[in-house]
Amino acid sequence: MEIIRTVKRLEEICRAAGESGKSIGLVPTMGALHAGHKSLVDRARKENDILVVSVFVNPTQFNNPDDLRTYPRTEEADSAMLENCGADYVFMPTAEEIYPEPDTRVFDLGPVAEVMEGAMRPGHFNGVAQIVSKLFAWVRPTRAYFGEKDFQQIAVIRKMAALEGFDFDIVACPIVREADGLALSSRNVRLTAEGRAIAPQIHSLLEKSRQLKEQGLKPAEVARATAEAIDSVAGLTTEYYQIVDALTMQPVDDWSDAGAEGTVGCVTVYCDNVRLIDNIRY
Ligand code: PAF
């Protein structure tokens, strides 16, 4: 496994792989790797000749400086894990290497980026589009892999790819959970023991909310009741819970209004001042 620090070397390797007809799998990450990332890496390893993983805490997607400052950084453990998983190349650049000049591009991401995370974290998705578009342009992967925990992010990346004319295969991979249901996240390490003990209730209450749909409640009613149930757990505070079309990310009035992909309920919850996100398909 080679650790790459420069864009020049990354482009050189990926160009040579492309020219020799090899497929390239790209897994973009911000490091602090856990079993959720491992599932993406393992899948990308199986499906491609060359596996490139990027590890970069992208400053332009953080709208909260404290979140950027405290984001876990575990470069050595990440390299060891990726070596074990059989990655060929790990791209670990500095911020100066990625952004020698400030990136002033503003992507016209439209409605998918305006709701939920887009509404709560102004500029976040534009920052994601900036870094992922750079990685796509340098690597030109056959397939790029993203986790469904960040469900809306995948819709935004698909939109960015369409805008930029990248026709790579964007592969959405299922959420990986702890045995008690908590969605794996790099932020989980910041939970106290008390927070860690209550956080799995987010997933169990989302699962329970499926029964409300079966009882005939409309999407907005299910969302309201579920947010109330989460808020009634001492230590959990919902920022938003919305049930949206799984492709357009727009709220639906009725279950039957959703397109081919159906609906997804997306939630953000504060637990111990840690912002956790999760989702469930209905
Ligand atoms: O999901 C993430 O970890 C990040 O948003 C991504 C896609 C690696 C871009 O920095």
Side-chain angles (χ1 to χ4, degrees):
M1 184 180 88
E2 179 181 333
I3 295 186
I4 300 176
R5 302 280 181 188
T6 65
V7 171
K8 185 167 171 281
R9 176 78 182 139
L10 179 69
E11 284 187 305
E12 213 169 77
I13 277 156
C14 295
R15 197 177 313 114
E19 281 167 9
S20 60
K22 293 195 167 134
S23 60
I24 305 177
L26 170 68
V27 184
T29 81
M30 296 206 298
L33 303 179
H34 50 64
H37 296 108
K38 185 175 177 328
S39 73
L40 309 185
V41 171
D42 287 345
R43 179 158 174 194
R45 177 66 288 169
K46 277 199 203 97
E47 295 180 351
N48 300 279
D49 299 321
I50 304 277
L51 172 55
V52 179
V53 181
S54 64
V55 174
F56 177 62
V57 182
N58 172 40
T60 71
Q61 71 187 73
F62 284 81
N63 56 322
N64 174 344
D66 275 349
D67 195 21
L68 173 60
R69 193 177 43 78
T70 58
Y71 199 86
R73 288 160 171 89
T74 57
E75 205 174 282
E76 268 182 32
D78 292 346
S79 309
M81 174 184 157
L82 293 171
E83 177 119 55
N84 265 334
C85 292
D88 298 301
Y89 301 101
V90 179
F91 180 47
M92 280 183 170
T94 59
E96 293 69 36
E97 182 67 16
I98 299 285
Y99 299 113
E101 305 288 334
D103 191 339
T104 53
R105 290 174 300 159
V106 177
F107 291 80
D108 183 12
L109 299 166
V112 282
E114 283 162 11
V115 293
M116 303 190 290
E117 291 300 281
M120 295 298 158
R121 304 181 65 189
H124 167 65
F125 281 136
N126 197 63
V128 170
Q130 287 176 340
I131 182 63
V132 177
S133 64
K134 281 177 181 275
L135 292 169
F136 278 9
W138 294 329
V139 175
R140 307 208 69 79
T142 316
R143 299 176 193 87
Y145 297 78
F146 298 92
E148 283 190 334
K149 184 173 74 63
D150 297 293
F151 200 92
Q152 189 180 5
Q153 171 172 274
I154 299 178
V156 169
I157 290 170
R158 288 192 199 283
K159 174 71 184 179
M160 175 282 291
L163 288 171
E164 298 293 297
F166 295 131
D167 64 352
F168 319 127
D169 197 358
I170 293 169
V171 184
C173 303
I175 299 178
V176 178
R177 298 184 181 279
E178 300 282 5
D180 57 15
L182 178 64
L184 292 191
S185 162
S186 305
R187 291 191 168 90
N188 291 354
V189 296
R190 287 167 28 196
L191 292 169
T192 60
E194 293 76 27
R196 178 64 190 80
I198 55 172
Q201 294 199 48
I202 301 167
H203 175 60
S204 57
L205 290 167
L206 292 188
E207 286 222 300
K208 231 170 151 187
S209 76
R210 285 191 173 130
Q211 294 165 11
L212 301 175
K213 178 189 176 194
E214 278 153 30
Q215 287 162 19
L217 270 67
K218 287 184 174 257
E221 292 167 335
V222 173
R224 200 174 317 115
T226 309
E228 279 169 16
I230 294 171
D231 289 338
S232 72
V233 178
L236 298 183
T237 308
T238 309
E239 186 176 60
Y240 65 79
Y241 185 44
Q242 282 196 23
I243 297 177
V244 298
D245 180 293
L247 278 180
T248 65
M249 299 293 114
Q250 301 310 296
V252 287
D253 287 334
D254 268 304
W255 301 104
S256 58
D257 292 344
E261 286 296 314
T263 52
V264 59
C266 299
V267 75
T268 297
V269 179
Y270 278 95
C271 174
D272 275 348
N273 234 6
V274 181
R275 194 169 182 275
L276 301 176
I277 71 172
D278 204 341
N279 62 75
I280 194 166
R281 301 298 282 261
Y282 286 95

